[in-house]
Amino acid sequence: MPLTRFARALRPAPAVFLVLLAASATAQPAVEAPLDRVLGAVVGTDGLVDYRLLAREHRADLDAALAAVAEQDPSALRTDDQKTAFLLNAYNAHVLALVLQTDAANLEDEDLFERFFETPVRIAGGAATLNQIEHGALRRQDRVDGAAVPRAVQALRPARVDRRVHVGLNCAAVSCPPLGRRAFRASTLDADLGRAWRAFVASPRAARVDGGRVVLSSLFDWFADDFETPRRPLGDLLAGAFASRPDAAPLRRALAGRTAADLRADRDVQFDYDWTVNRR
């Protein structure tokens, strides 16, 4: 067969191509639509959650989103953005359900970390803990909580670590970057994570000056390896991120040029995280 005829034979028919394109663009509507309804109804503009309203009027939508998370065909998640959006939505939806199940007030005080983050949940035809979703899939770690990450979880990994996932995940604590009021979508993921990152670094959740001390979110301590590079220490990244804040000058003086190790060793820098549940 001549090359031109061979290439023509391999070319999909226009209708088939459009179907494949549509399927790729809408891999997760069964997750996103009910989660949109939940988040739009129960998350306030401050990111706090009305869990009573969720339990009373929107539990069916949350259950529908969780069922779709459990039944998601992983082979339909073809791109990094599709995988990342799915994983963020799955994590956040399960955290909402866990708050309802436990009626938690403070995850640290009530010793709920294992219940929330180390107990398997249903996802994409299998099971994974929230820690495995966060660290094994989104952060591409091979071992989580002392055990190898299951292959099914590894199959959901994006090709690279995007540090902005830390502002997309919500662990139900008031110090967490707040929940958005709609589900993540592959088509708008970059813009949505960019917007969430800018909102977080502009807020007291990320940093504040308290007397002579700089208080930073513990996210920058726990996940320093995701934020810091050999060419750019953590302090420089944060000083740049905080540049438009009213308190940018004292933050820059405390942070510029300093590595994560430097900041941990400085008595005038504190990492802090409040595990009180983000209940409206």
Side-chain angles (χ1 to χ4, degrees):
M1 179 183 294
L3 181 59
T4 53
R5 290 180 60 196
F6 179 71
R8 193 178 300 119
L10 290 179
R11 189 180 304 150
V16 174
F17 177 77
L18 290 175
V19 169
L20 291 174
L21 183 62
S24 177
T26 58
Q28 306 169 57
V31 176
E32 295 159 356
L35 191 55
D36 274 346
R37 293 192 290 272
V38 169
L39 297 174
V42 307
V43 179
T45 55
D46 55 3
L48 298 181
V49 180
D50 189 337
Y51 289 101
R52 290 184 179 179
L53 180 63
L54 174 58
R56 186 174 66 246
E57 298 184 18
H58 299 282
R59 185 57 196 258
D61 274 330
L62 179 59
D63 288 345
L66 291 172
V69 165
E71 296 163 6
Q72 173 69 46
D73 177 4
S75 68
L77 304 174
R78 300 181 179 91
T79 69
D80 281 358
D81 284 354
Q82 287 176 342
K83 292 175 182 178
T84 300
F86 172 72
L87 291 166
L88 293 174
N89 289 334
Y91 185 103
N92 292 342
H94 274 293
V95 167
L96 291 172
L98 283 162
V99 174
L100 294 188
Q101 292 167 17
T102 59
D103 196 28
N106 185 296
L107 303 192
E108 185 173 42
D109 293 348
E110 296 170 51
D111 196 22
L112 287 170
F113 291 153
E114 181 177 353
R115 174 71 181 87
F116 268 64
F117 306 115
E118 300 179 30
T119 302
V121 297
R122 295 174 60 222
I123 176 172
T129 68
L130 295 187
N131 277 350
Q132 288 171 338
I133 293 171
E134 179 178 7
H135 306 299
L138 288 167
R139 300 185 64 229
R140 295 182 56 81
Q141 294 185 347
D142 293 328
R143 295 186 66 82
V144 174
D145 296 328
V149 173
R151 289 186 179 181
V153 175
Q154 294 183 32
L156 296 171
R157 287 175 172 171
R160 64 180 183 86
V161 177
D162 184 339
R163 65 173 179 255
R164 298 175 304 171
V165 298
H166 296 299
V167 298
L169 295 167
N170 184 275
C171 60
V174 296
S175 285
C176 263
L179 272 170
R181 303 194 71 223
R182 65 191 296 269
F184 287 103
R185 285 168 169 75
S187 59
T188 59
L189 183 66
D190 183 65
D192 290 342
L193 287 179
R195 190 179 304 110
W197 170 254
R198 292 189 294 274
F200 178 62
V201 298
S203 75
R205 285 182 172 96
R208 65 183 187 274
V209 179
D210 186 359
R213 174 174 289 183
V214 170
V215 182
L216 299 174
S217 169
S218 292
L219 293 177
F220 301 126
D221 178 21
W222 299 331
F223 307 120
D225 289 347
D226 295 348
F227 293 103
E228 188 167 71
T229 70
R231 295 185 178 183
R232 191 176 196 188
L234 177 64
D236 280 353
L237 182 143
L238 296 180
F242 300 150
S244 62
R245 292 172 51 127
D247 53 1
L251 288 172
R252 181 172 181 79
R253 286 195 296 270
L255 301 174
R258 309 186 71 192
T259 66
D262 294 334
L263 297 175
R264 292 179 184 123
D266 190 337
R267 293 183 179 180
D268 291 328
V269 176
Q270 175 185 345
F271 293 97
D272 184 61
Y273 211 77
D274 183 351
W275 285 98
T276 302
V277 168
N278 57 350
R279 192 182 304 274
R280 190 188 297 173

